[in-house]
Amino acid sequence: MTTPDGSGRGSGAHGLAGRPPSASGRTGTRLYWVPAAASPSTAAAPAMPSAPVVPTGGFDVEAVRREFPQLHREVNGHPLVWLDNGATTLKPRQVVEAVGEHYATSTSNVHRGAHTLARQATRIYEEGRAEAAELLGTPDPDEVVFVRGTTEAVNLVAQSWGRANLGVGDEILVSAAEHHSNLVPWQLIAKEKRARVVPVPLLPDGQLDQDAYRDLLSHRTKLVALTHASNVLGTVPPVAEMTALAHRYGARVLVDGAQAVSHFPVDVKALDADFYAFSGHKVFAPTGIGVLYGKRDLLEAMPPWQGGGNMIDSVSFDETTYAPVPHRLEAGTGHIAGVAGLRAALRYLSGLDRQAATAHEEQLTAYATAALATVPGLRLIGDAPGKIGVLTFLLAGVDPMAVAAQLDQQGIAVRAGHHCAQPALAAYGLQSAVRASLALYNTVQDVDSLVGALQGVQATTAA
Ligand code: PLP
């Protein structure tokens, strides 16, 4: 399901008209949201749905769960309830087997061998690239650069494109919802080039302030760094509309898809994104492998950012020439087993009914949101319409780390801390929070386990 905004999500919830008109706390043209109530909500909570909203529509979550071995282990004497998908996703059997097979029987380097196993490894490697291109909706696999993950993808663009294209007084607009990996690389290159990083503020519900964004865009804007789904608020900004606006000023747009690709179909061409990044490990693939998509003309104009093997055409002390993209941007031996695992993960994902999987997650998110509201003293952070299943919250009187530790005793894995998005939490006056994050293999029972355990969490540490 691909929608005009390229998000693959059906509702118009991310459109500009949906934003609350006056909740932003304007100060001049720069808007910074000041939290209205710092204390956890004790308002009457909506009742938990009486009948579980059991996901329907052809998505067989139990069949999916059977493919993920880790879902069938125990932790601290309890069946594992994995609600830390924002940090990393579990791996299906197919991925484990693909990585194991590479190391057990099929180890070889790629691209430069004349023997059978080198050809086989190269075929798998390039099929992995083609799978990633298909996942992102580009017909051109050469627009896919293999990197370690989202962090390295952003650093690549900052160090290569940024160094070549940014100058004194230029502006890089970075949304306040960004993960540090889509902020700090811009701060580094901005300092070097004497450019400025300018935040695009949040509204109270976690949406990006579109009025502020329009005000901030100018001919000084050279790049907009934008999440496709926030890892702390769950917000899915209107990326296609924001990209179109940026392009009017000649700015480029880098979209961080780390939290998007596993949750809903993505189409970089419909988004018209200039760059799009994701990490394999957040989409059921191994750690250490990720993808940078870039429009071909942009990639071709970018200078190499690392030198070494694989990325050259010819080398001499007088002159070195470089290989065509994407290899020009892939110095050294890549993560070959990682690509084998990525290929398996993306094949696994494309074999599922993605529309049904997204609907399952949307229903589960709605269920979890209502269920969490029944926990006394629980305050949910971020309720933008159409958000993904990222449920960040505080529990009155209990330190977030203590909440996570008590849940862990019952086999429930959540994350606590700043979630590498300190500016986003700071917009709510917070430094730390608990996050439960859903994936397509989670169930109503997982949510019920979480809610049941939260009801019993003891106030051991002052929040
Ligand atoms: N962007 C977002 C939205 C994330 O959630 C994360 C990781 O949590 C990253 C970027 C960084 O990903 P990685 O550490 O795989 O490079």
Side-chain angles (χ1 to χ4, degrees), residues 48-185:
M48 186 147 33
S50 50
V53 186
V54 180
T56 54
F59 188 70
D60 184 348
V61 69
E62 289 306 327
V64 168
R65 289 175 71 82
R66 281 195 288 278
E67 303 285 15
F68 287 80
Q70 192 167 321
L71 286 172
H72 306 286
R73 65 162 289 172
E74 292 192 346
V75 170
N76 295 324
H78 297 270
L80 172 65
V81 176
W82 185 258
L83 295 173
D84 197 15
N85 296 288
T88 199
T89 53
L90 304 182
K91 316 307 170 200
R93 177 182 52 76
Q94 293 84 339
V95 170
V96 179
E97 287 171 3
V99 175
E101 188 180 319
H102 174 80
Y103 286 125
T105 62
S106 306
T107 294
S108 172
N109 211 322
V110 294
H111 293 145
R112 54 176 102 101
H115 54 78
T116 302
L117 291 183
R119 281 194 295 276
Q120 182 183 315
T122 302
R123 176 180 56 75
I124 290 173
Y125 200 75
E126 292 306 322
E127 284 177 2
R129 197 187 303 277
E131 290 290 342
E134 198 172 324
L135 177 86
L136 295 177
T138 172
D140 182 0
D142 289 347
E143 291 184 321
V144 168
V145 181
F146 285 132
V147 287
R148 275 193 299 129
T150 308
T151 303
E152 189 170 73
V154 179
N155 278 280
L156 191 167
V157 177
Q159 294 299 319
S160 172
W161 181 90
R163 188 165 285 128
N165 289 281
L166 294 172
V168 178
D170 286 343
E171 291 186 349
I172 304 159
L173 300 194
V174 178
S175 102
E178 295 313 302
H179 188 280
H180 298 162
S181 66
N182 202 18
L183 166 56
V184 181

Side-chain angles (χ1 to χ4, degrees), residues 86-88 148-154 177-182 227-232 256-260 277-282 288-289 415 419-420 435:
T88 199
R148 275 193 299 129
T150 308
T151 303
E152 189 170 73
V154 179
E178 295 313 302
H179 188 280
H180 298 162
S181 66
N182 202 18
T227 187
H228 204 182
S230 157
N231 69 309
V232 70
D256 172 355
Q259 296 292 339
F278 75 87
S279 303
H281 71 100
K282 295 195 198 279
I289 184 67
R415 178 155 283 215
H419 309 293
C420 299
R435 180 186 70 187

